[in-house]
Amino acid sequence: MNNVLERLLEGNRRFSLGQAVRPDSDIARRQQIAGAQKPFALILSCSDSRVPPEIVFDCGLGDLFVIRTAGHTVDNAVRESVLFGIQALRIPLVLVLGHARCGAVSLAIQAKQSGASHDEPSWVAAQIAPAVEECKNAANPLDCAIRTHANMTVGRLKDLLMPVADSVPVLGAYYDLDTGVVELLNT
């Protein structure tokens, strides 16, 4: 796991410093992996267009198994996709990647503030609502809710994957849109 995490963080370091090398992106690599994939990490990320994991971690074709949903929310399709990555592809690490100024979390905060809970909040907002509630009195409720939601998603994935994947680490991280730096969270 340490080598996998180091590889991700080293790729992010290159990216954040403007020194990305865009590895494994040529025709030879495409032909090499055409028959089978062997990604070294699974990233559950927000579908925000500003947070493409392959670029943020300076990885190439076949390196990452990426699942993207609004606010990196988890439903049955995500659960089954993660299980496939762990069981069939033997991916040794799952990383939940939250990010600064997440629109899904912002909308969940707005839904909470407007009293949309009396109506029917969106499914995504309902999934993020516990983090919003926990952070309602924070100095920066949005940033707190983003980080808290990433940590809660880690916990939810661990619960959903037990006991099948209890040997695979599931970690949380936060991507800063301004600096390009990925920070590991205390999960």
Side-chain angles (χ1 to χ4, degrees), residues 5 41 49 64 84 141 146 159:
L5 188 56
S49 65
L64 300 178
F84 174 78
I146 290 166
D159 290 345

Side-chain angles (χ1 to χ4, degrees), residues 21-168:
V21 296
R22 303 285 183 252
D24 298 329
S25 304
D26 58 10
I27 293 171
R29 175 63 171 180
R30 188 176 68 226
Q31 292 171 343
Q32 177 188 21
I33 64 168
Q37 62 175 317
K38 186 149 179 51
F40 72 88
L42 186 151
I43 311 294
L44 172 56
S45 177
C46 184
S47 53
D48 190 302
S49 65
R50 301 169 293 176
V51 190
E54 295 89 347
I55 293 173
V56 168
F57 292 108
D58 195 24
C59 289
L61 295 170
D63 289 341
L64 300 178
F65 190 79
V66 177
I67 303 164
R68 297 177 74 177
T69 64
H72 57 75
T73 49
V74 177
D75 61 11
N76 284 335
V78 170
R79 178 186 177 275
E80 294 297 319
S81 296
V82 173
L83 282 172
F84 174 78
I86 291 171
Q87 292 176 320
L89 301 176
R90 304 213 183 281
I91 297 172
L93 175 72
V94 175
L95 185 74
V96 175
L97 184 62
H99 67 91
R101 297 189 293 281
C102 179
V105 177
S106 293
L107 289 174
I109 290 172
Q110 290 171 11
K112 175 81 172 160
Q113 291 172 342
S114 71
S117 59
H118 299 292
D119 302 330
E120 272 195 46
S122 76
W123 183 88
V124 170
Q127 299 305 303
I128 300 169
V132 170
E133 180 63 26
E134 187 171 313
C135 293
K136 65 183 176 187
N137 296 320
N140 184 337
L142 176 59
D143 192 67
C144 176
I146 290 166
R147 292 168 186 271
T148 300
H149 176 57
N151 283 331
M152 288 179 167
T153 301
V154 167
R156 181 154 190 231
L157 272 180
K158 286 179 178 179
D159 290 345
L160 290 172
L161 299 174
M162 286 299 205
V164 175
D166 58 352
S167 64
V168 176

